[in-house]
């Protein structure tokens, strides 16, 4: 999974994929914000017990921070 998440960051730069499809970092950050908000709304809408809801939300937020770090490292090299 870590390799996949790393490739997600790389394919949006000139380092991989088509050189004609380069997404600026500001748009990648906006996408991450959208995904974080969508996940949060989805988790809150599941009607989970409060402790499970909190644990689930915290786990997904950690995953998104890892994804964000993997995206940004490829832009730092570009």
């Amino acid at each position: 999974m870590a390799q996949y998440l790393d490739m997600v960051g790389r394919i949006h730069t000139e380092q991989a994929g088509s050189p004609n499809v380069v997404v600026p970092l500001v748009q990648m950050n906006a996408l991450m914000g959208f995904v974080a908000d969508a996940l949060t709304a989805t988790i809150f809408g599941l009607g989970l017990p409060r402790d499970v809801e909190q644990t689930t939300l915290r786990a997904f937020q950690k995953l998104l921070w890892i994804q964000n770090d993997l995206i940004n490292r490829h832009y730092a090299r570009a």
Side-chain angles (χ1 to χ4, degrees), residues 6 32 72 74:
D6 188 49
M32 291 301 294
N72 279 289
H74 292 292

Side-chain angles (χ1 to χ4, degrees), residues 9-61:
R10 192 175 337 140
I11 63 173
H12 292 90
T13 68
E14 295 174 347
Q15 298 175 27
S18 171
N20 298 324
V21 182
V22 177
V23 180
L25 181 57
V26 67
Q27 290 178 348
M28 292 297 290
N29 287 333
L31 174 65
M32 291 301 294
F34 172 80
V35 170
D37 183 61
L39 271 172
T40 300
T42 299
I43 292 167
F44 284 159
L46 294 175
L48 299 170
R50 182 75 169 149
D51 60 330
V52 174
E53 182 180 73
Q54 288 177 341
T55 303
T56 303
L57 184 59
R58 292 181 71 204
F60 273 107
Q61 293 299 323

Side-chain angles (χ1 to χ4, degrees), residues 5 32 54-69:
L5 293 176
M32 291 301 294
Q54 288 177 341
T55 303
T56 303
L57 184 59
R58 292 181 71 204
F60 273 107
Q61 293 299 323
K62 290 172 187 173
L63 177 65
L64 290 175
W65 275 100
I66 292 168
Q67 176 69 76
N68 189 54
D69 184 55

